Amino acid sequence: MCAYVMVAEDDEKQAELARRYLEREGHSVVVVRDGREALDHVGRAAPDLLVLDVMMPRVDGLEVVRELRAAGHGLAVLMLTARSTEDDLLLGLDSGADDYLAKPYSPRELVARARTLLRRVERTAAPGAVLRVGALAVDPVRHEVTLGGAPVDCTPGEFRLLAALAAQPERVFSRAQLLEELHGFDRYISARTVDVHIMNLRKKIEPSPRRPVRLLTVYGVGYKLSAGDGRG
């Protein structure tokens, strides 16, 4: 899949390296140098993928993702960070990033991660019937989620996870299976990655997130999506 990719990176050498390798893959690449420019460019040009450094001038990468998701932009976001602790990575996920790559990174791994994210965007956009589980509806064509007819805003990662669950209601998915639906994160944070998405989805689709009736935990196994009690 050849795509339009924006690289938001203030380090000139890092930006040039990313641009060169992504262009070798056949993508069209534009480079911006700060977070405000990244936000402005997404609004004008609608890239397929944003490769985004966390430590950016004017507006940092985490705030860029928050603003993009709040505005309804569904592009894939691959964040680059010199921070590598689990809490930092989970903070990025919670902000709406789809994948993380810690610096220093291999340019080949950057290309591979970008390829994976773009494939998943392409697959999510493929035609398919609306998936309905009780009051919840997931539309793979329009990339929309509604609950009782009311729109539910989801990040791309949350949408992919919810679509996988909605495609097979009552089936129990392990964390490893759900992680495969999302992306290839580092193994040591894989379980927490899924748990963060589940926690955020419960805030959006459950009458009471602490007492879920739709997105259920099957202890010792994983998660499943049920019709719930009909409320919503």
Side-chain angles (χ1 to χ4, degrees), residues 3 25 39 41 44 49 83 95-96 102 106 133 145 147 171 173 181 187 201 204 210 219:
E25 186 77 357
L39 288 168
H41 191 89
R44 294 194 308 269
L49 170 66
R83 304 168 179 173
S95 300
S106 160
V133 185
V145 177
L147 182 62
R171 174 188 167 183
F173 287 80
E181 290 296 326
R187 270 180 283 179
L201 281 169
K204 298 175 180 182
R210 292 183 178 273
Y219 291 99

Side-chain angles (χ1 to χ4, degrees), residues 22-102:
L22 289 165
E23 287 184 345
R24 285 180 186 174
E25 186 77 357
H27 303 306
S28 175
V29 182
V30 63
V31 175
V32 299
R33 302 298 187 188
D34 64 64
R36 178 50 55 194
E37 189 180 357
L39 288 168
D40 292 344
H41 191 89
V42 170
R44 294 194 308 269
D48 303 297
L49 170 66
L50 170 59
V51 178
L52 176 66
D53 187 26
V54 171
M55 303 300 291
M56 294 281 287
R58 299 178 69 189
V59 182
D60 69 35
L62 294 174
E63 184 58 29
V64 168
V65 177
R66 292 189 191 102
E67 292 193 27
L68 290 176
R69 298 314 188 207
H73 292 289
L75 80 166
V77 177
L78 172 60
M79 296 199 80
L80 307 175
T81 179
R83 304 168 179 173
S84 59
T85 68
E86 183 177 2
D87 287 344
D88 288 326
L89 300 183
L90 293 173
L91 180 61
L93 285 177
D94 198 31
S95 300
D98 296 288
D99 200 352
Y100 248 99
L101 193 55

